[in-house]
Amino acid sequence: GENVEQHPSTLSVQEGDSAVIKCTYSDSASNYFPWYKQELGKRPQLIIDIRSNVGEKKDQRIAVTLNKTAKHFSLHITETQPEDSAVYFCAASKRGGDMRFGAGTRLTVKP
Amino acid sequence: DGGITQSPKYLFRKEGQNVTLSCEQNLNHDAMYWYRQDPGQGLRLIYYSQIVNDFQKGDIAEGYSVSREKKESFPLTVTSAQKNPTAFYLCASSITGGVGYTFGSGTRLTVV
């Protein structure tokens, strides 16, 4: 089955700096890669996703890149703000399959 | 709760007791999933169902059971065989397997 690895497990940045979180996946058939943000005690919220026919997608301060050949994808947050502090999860899935999550990255943005 | 409702929000279980967590969705989604989240960790798949009356084990199914008698409902029973059930349980649904998840707000289960 699919195995998703995520790094780093914790990340601390100064407000205004950029943050990058990286994930790798094992199943070459995976074709959908979402990123979720989870605040303490709450449900994960989808923040951005990318499909395998696209190499990069951007939404304001958030971008995701995908390298299918290397089977890795990354989340980029620019101009970080304290409210970006949360746990971020990457995930991978394929049509007809379930979704597997990375272990999460705890991002802290220091004012 | 965005079309998918989990109840209760908090649940306390005594040793040796079975408890059932409810998950209901009105999104007309075919697929439903149960994940377990331990403190500081990611989401681990317990069970999932792509269609009514059918479900598959995930990575950590031991000590859990599910049913899918209706499209809208996917209850999870934590049995006494689950030795360490204290965790945050998340239910999710999607239109087709693996795409476009919507999460419920979660149930926090504690063994007392």
Side-chain angles (χ1 to χ4, degrees):
Chain A
E2 176 66 274
N3 181 45
V4 179
E5 295 193 357
Q6 182 172 348
H7 301 280
S9 57
T10 60
L11 179 60
S12 181
V13 300
Q14 278 307 126
E15 182 177 1
D17 287 351
S18 295
V20 180
I21 303 170
K22 299 182 179 181
C23 288
T24 60
Y25 61 99
S26 60
D27 189 346
S28 56
S30 290
N31 58 4
Y32 177 67
F33 307 93
W35 286 87
Y36 289 86
K37 176 182 180 182
Q38 187 180 29
E39 297 177 352
L40 191 63
K42 297 191 176 179
R43 76 182 89 185
Q45 299 275 12
L46 178 69
I47 56 171
I48 196 168
D49 57 11
I50 192 168
R51 296 180 187 271
S52 59
N53 58 348
V54 176
E56 183 174 358
K57 184 176 178 181
K58 190 173 182 180
D59 183 3
Q60 299 182 357
R61 297 186 296 109
I62 295 173
V64 57
T65 58
L66 171 65
N67 183 328
K68 284 174 55 180
T69 303
K71 292 202 286 252
H72 65 71
F73 55 113
S74 301
L75 177 71
H76 304 252
I77 306 174
T78 59
E79 300 171 28
T80 54
Q81 301 166 3
E83 50 265 40
D84 293 331
S85 295
V87 178
Y88 292 81
F89 293 98
C90 63
S93 70
K94 57 188 176 185
R95 191 172 185 84
D98 57 272
M99 189 174 295
R100 299 305 172 99
F101 290 81
T105 296
R106 182 173 299 280
L107 174 65
T108 303
V109 180
K110 295 179 286 186
Chain B
D1 282 337
I4 182 166
T5 302
Q6 285 187 243
S7 62
K9 189 171 183 178
Y10 299 97
L11 185 58
F12 297 90
R13 193 193 92 167
K14 294 181 179 179
E15 296 278 355
Q17 192 177 48
N18 292 358
V19 290
T20 297
L21 283 60
S22 171
C23 179
E24 303 276 335
Q25 53 97 1
N26 60 4
L27 300 167
N28 200 32
H29 285 173
D30 291 312
M32 297 186 74
Y33 313 83
W34 275 105
Y35 289 87
R36 169 181 171 143
Q37 187 174 32
D38 293 285
Q41 297 190 31
L43 285 70
R44 292 185 290 168
L45 182 65
I46 305 172
Y47 269 99
Y48 65 103
S49 169
Q50 305 280 22
I51 195 169
V52 174
N53 291 322
D54 188 41
F55 48 83
Q56 288 78 42
K57 293 181 179 180
D59 297 325
I60 55 165
E62 186 174 351
Y64 300 96
S65 65
V66 294
S67 62
R68 188 83 187 279
E69 297 176 1
K70 298 187 300 181
K71 187 176 184 178
E72 300 79 16
S73 179
F74 191 41
L76 173 74
T77 296
V78 184
T79 74
S80 57
Q82 172 49 241
K83 297 306 178 187
N84 186 24
T86 295
F88 187 53
Y89 291 86
L90 282 160
C91 178
S93 67
S94 69
I95 49 174
T96 55
V99 177
Y101 272 35
T102 299
F103 281 94
S105 56
T107 293
R108 189 167 299 281
L109 173 64
T110 304
V111 173
V112 296

